[in-house]
Amino acid sequence: MTAPLIEGRDLVLSFGNERVLDQVSLAIHPGEIITLIGPNGAGKSTLVKTLLGLQKPDSGEVVRKQGLTIGYVPQKLAIDQVLPMTVKRFLTLTRSVSRAECEGVLAQVGAGHVIDAQMSQLSGGETQRVMLARTLLLRPHLLVLDEPTQGVDVSGQAELYRLIDEIRHELDCAVLMISHDLHLVMAKTNQVVCFNRHVCCHGQPETVRQHPEYRSLFGVREADAIGIYTHEHDHEHDLSRHVVAGCGHDHSHDHHHHAHDHVTTVKEGAETNQ
Amino acid sequence: MMDDFLFRAILGGVLLAVVCGPFGAFIVWRRMAFFGDMLAHTALLGVALGLLIGVDIRIGMIATCLVAALLLSYGQRQARIGSDTVLGMLAHSTLALGMVALAFVQGVAVDLMAYLFGDILAINTGDILLLAVGGAFAFCVLAWMWRPLLALTVSPEIAAAEGIPVERLRLVFMLLMALVIGMAIKIVGVLLITALLIVPAASARFFARTPEQMAIGAGLFGAASVLAGIALSWHVDTPAGPSIVISAAAIFILSAGFAPVMRKLTSGA
């Protein structure tokens, strides 16, 4: 396999007494689409921030490929009203770009009309489109999306995912996405990483999709049935999200590379998504 | 013919206001007004230390502001004490320490009012030189790091993802701010310096559509406040520092009143 674009090795991070990242190893290779799922408070955003270098781990290391360009789309970007910022100016935030180029990428994401609007006046969906337009200008090797559809209404979400997929093909980049909306991302993703302070397991969505329990859960109850996706682990997570029972398998090894030959089941976890 | 001291006051004041413009804008955007206040408070300790050790008090003020900025950037990483608490503790302990230290200064009658509210009419050629050199330095460094610092202000995550050295930029900005505040105290004083930074920037917000417009507007409004304040002081014999701040506040109120009218006019056109 080619060298990873970015790789976190044995990342450990605690906030006070609470361990948020517990020996996390994750590598993203060129062309991969990895979706990170897990309950609220599982530390998904913290993991991403650590990979981006914004949060220093207590131990472990993040190795970035030389010359790697990362495009980052946050959950929602709240540009404060105290900061005047047109969409055009925002697109040129880290590099100069001509107005024509800005118009081009905005049109591509279906937001051509907002070029002179203030960022703080945009709706959630418009903001995310502008963020995606920015990544088109950046042409990153890796696109990192942190719950990119959170501030967007349901009808806009599918459209936004379609757009992300389109952009990914155009840029031919790797994608790391955090998402709750398992049913929407499953079709596009090639690796699902189930994460709750440590990498619980990871595998291809096909394995997951073909499983009868998955079908019963996501097939019947569809959109609302976005329960927490847990494989048949030998440990459970209690309501406060701590790992309760001791894990049968060795968590110190690199999950990323071990074969997932254990039975993969999807079920609604003890905690549900309210 | 214009008196020499008046000319120096106008030159020094306008120089400072122009430098304060873009810094003030960043202070408003990054919500660091209290941080500026705290830095100014520590400057009084610098005055005392300067007198005690026998160093130029301008150097004393700038040096203590720089040290305070470093202490603070360290203190803010301590999660167990909120950063506002760290700020408050540092601001008031250093102010108290400065007052106590001033009591030890013998033989010199310290004009406390001049440090608290500034004494722009007393600035000398050395002050102007310091403002010109230090101001130009701070201005150039800020201009050089403008784009990444703005990206960091919009979103630290985006900035970090795109390879901007977030922590280093934050520190450099804090140190530059300390330098500007250290230089500014002679003109508007410990208690009023934050006003000269944030009020013109707040006024400029009403008319700006981009960050750059706001920064330039802040410089212009700041310069206008200095001129109006000195004129007021000259004609009505009011203290100059407070007059400058009052002018800045008046410009803010006028801007707030004028902005909706202007918006109506431009949208109607």
Side-chain angles (χ1 to χ4, degrees), chain A residues 90-167:
Chain A
F90 177 75
L91 291 175
T92 61
L93 195 58
T94 48
R95 63 200 58 209
S96 350
V97 185
S98 72
R99 188 180 168 91
E101 278 178 283
C102 291
E103 279 167 349
V105 289
L106 283 174
Q108 208 176 330
V109 298
H113 57 290
V114 299
I115 188 161
D116 289 316
Q118 286 286 311
M119 285 297 290
S120 55
Q121 308 294 323
L122 301 185
S123 71
E126 285 169 334
T127 306
Q128 294 309 85
R129 281 165 194 266
V130 170
M131 298 288 312
L132 290 173
R134 223 180 136 262
T135 64
L136 280 169
L137 290 169
L138 192 65
R139 308 207 73 83
H141 307 108
L142 169 64
L143 188 56
V144 179
L145 306 132
D146 186 353
E147 301 198 38
T149 64
Q150 240 214 356
V152 182
D153 58 69
V154 181
S155 64
Q157 289 186 357
E159 169 65 12
L160 214 52
Y161 277 117
R162 193 196 54 74
L163 204 56
I164 290 168
D165 195 49
E166 200 180 293
I167 286 171

Side-chain angles (χ1 to χ4, degrees), chain A residues 179-223:
Chain A
S179 185
H180 277 325
D181 318 313
L182 189 57
H183 62 308
L184 281 171
V185 299
M186 287 283 272
K188 313 285 185 193
T189 207
N190 57 22
Q191 300 274 0
V192 176
V193 175
C194 171
F195 182 76
N196 192 0
R197 303 194 175 203
H198 61 281
V199 177
C200 294
C201 57
H202 108 197
Q204 308 207 331
E206 270 313 307
T207 340
V208 177
R209 193 182 288 121
Q210 283 165 9
H211 199 278
E213 277 198 53
Y214 168 80
R215 282 166 188 260
S216 66
L217 185 61
F218 287 96
V220 178
R221 293 177 50 195
E222 279 187 349

Side-chain angles (χ1 to χ4, degrees), chain A residues 241-267:
Chain A
R241 300 177 316 263
H242 294 294
V243 178
V244 183
C247 306
H249 55 279
D250 180 14
H251 273 90
S252 61
H253 66 239
D254 186 359
H255 273 268
H256 203 78
H257 301 298
H258 93 245
H260 274 268
D261 47 3
H262 63 265
V263 182
T264 310
T265 328
V266 176
K267 67 178 185 189

Side-chain angles (χ1 to χ4, degrees), chain B residues 87-127:
Chain B
L87 274 171
M89 286 196 306
L90 260 173
H92 297 113
S93 332
T94 50
L95 178 65
L97 199 60
M99 296 304 290
V100 169
L102 276 176
F104 283 100
V105 180
Q106 285 165 357
V108 193
V110 181
D111 181 9
L112 200 55
M113 288 296 276
Y115 293 111
L116 291 180
F117 298 103
D119 197 1
I120 191 171
L121 298 176
I123 63 177
N124 55 39
T125 317
D127 294 324

Side-chain angles (χ1 to χ4, degrees), chain B residues 182-240:
Chain B
M183 291 188 307
I185 284 178
K186 184 82 181 258
I187 293 185
V188 282
V190 168
L191 296 181
L192 300 179
I193 170 62
T194 311
L196 191 59
L197 285 163
I198 62 173
V199 180
S203 308
R205 173 62 188 98
F206 291 114
F207 307 103
R209 292 186 47 76
T210 62
E212 289 75 18
Q213 286 174 5
M214 182 159 155
I216 294 167
L220 292 177
F221 282 142
S225 310
V226 167
L227 293 176
I230 291 177
L232 189 70
S233 172
W234 181 252
H235 291 295
V236 198
D237 199 24
T238 50

